Amino acid sequence: MARFSRIEVASVMEETGLVPLFYHRDIETCKKVLTACYKGGARILEFTNRGDFAHEVFGELNKFAEKELPEMILGVGSVTDAGTASMYMQLGANFVVTPVFREDIAIVCNRRKVLWSPGCGSLTEIATAEEYGAEIIKVFPGSQLGPGFVKAIKAPCPWTSIMPTGGVSAEKENLESWFNAGVTCVGMGSKLVTKEFLASKDFSGLEGHIRNTLELIKSIRNA
């Protein structure tokens, strides 16, 4: 069962402006990455469902977070059907992120009052997802749609909260383009938790990178 309400999850997404995305098959590596994100100031992380037995790793990681990192909100991403969403919610997922909009996922998440963020690529998809209760819309793939798409969407629908994933990096120019376009937060995977940090096991360096990225987002918002 989720430890955090969907209102709490949405609030943390908006407050911090950053949702790190990460997957690894090794649970100890996952624990170290999650701890580095936590120490760096992140309070939310999307564990992507991208490998065999990923749900088993997630279950152990969520138990670790509950015990050692009590303010960390752990959710799941890359979910493409209601059965998978239900399985992860049974393991305590606090939110569910999908690459596509699916009514069946909306229904099972709404039934348990768990935040779900569907991947959308058109205004019609976004409007439909909001009618099904989506609080924060994942614009995907962000690398193809770009900040201009977000700005265009926000003009007729200023109430829409958007989280682009894909095409987001930790560079100032990139983050400025997204936040100036009106995003609520950004999802960032390999550009944040890089292969270099993992290969060198430089988790203190990762912690600093997370902290610097959060500070950069804050400065952009306050500019």
Side-chain angles (χ1 to χ4, degrees), residues 21 166-171 174 187-197 206 209 213:
L21 283 61
V168 181
S169 67
E171 283 74 33
N174 182 274
M188 201 184 314
S190 60
K191 299 293 185 180
L192 186 69
V193 185
T194 68
K195 292 180 180 179
E196 289 75 19
F197 284 128
L206 175 59
H209 185 47
T213 302

Side-chain angles (χ1 to χ4, degrees), residues 78-89:
S78 300
V79 173
T80 57
D81 62 90
T84 302
S86 295
M87 176 179 66
Y88 274 96
M89 285 190 287

Side-chain angles (χ1 to χ4, degrees), residues 12 26 36 65 67 70 73 82 93-95 98 115 125 139 151 154 165 168 172 190 196 211-212 219:
V12 170
D26 178 62
K67 181 179 180 181
I73 301 172
N94 294 284
F95 62 94
T98 73
L115 181 139
E125 278 189 322
V139 164
K151 188 175 182 179
K154 294 287 286 187
T165 300
V168 181
K172 182 179 180 181
S190 60
E196 289 75 19
R211 183 178 295 108
N212 292 338
S219 68

Side-chain angles (χ1 to χ4, degrees), residues 99 119-121 138-147 149 163-168 178:
C120 297
K138 171 183 172 179
V139 164
F140 182 79
S143 57
Q144 302 301 309
L145 295 168
F149 175 79
M163 173 180 68
T165 300
V168 181
W178 287 112

Side-chain angles (χ1 to χ4, degrees), residues 22 24 26-35 47 57 61:
F22 179 71
H24 200 284
D26 178 62
I27 181 61
E28 294 306 318
T29 299
C30 290
K31 289 178 181 178
K32 290 175 181 176
V33 168
L34 191 66
T35 300
F47 181 84
V57 178
L61 189 61

Side-chain angles (χ1 to χ4, degrees), residues 23-74:
Y23 166 77
H24 200 284
R25 67 178 64 186
D26 178 62
I27 181 61
E28 294 306 318
T29 299
C30 290
K31 289 178 181 178
K32 290 175 181 176
V33 168
L34 191 66
T35 300
C37 289
Y38 192 81
K39 289 182 176 179
R43 287 298 178 266
I44 193 163
L45 183 137
E46 174 190 323
F47 181 84
T48 53
N49 175 48
R50 292 190 178 173
D52 292 338
F53 311 109
H55 66 288
E56 295 181 3
V57 178
F58 177 86
E60 290 303 309
L61 189 61
N62 208 16
K63 291 176 185 176
F64 170 78
E66 183 175 0
K67 181 179 180 181
E68 303 293 338
L69 313 170
E71 294 179 16
M72 177 59 82
I73 301 172
L74 192 61

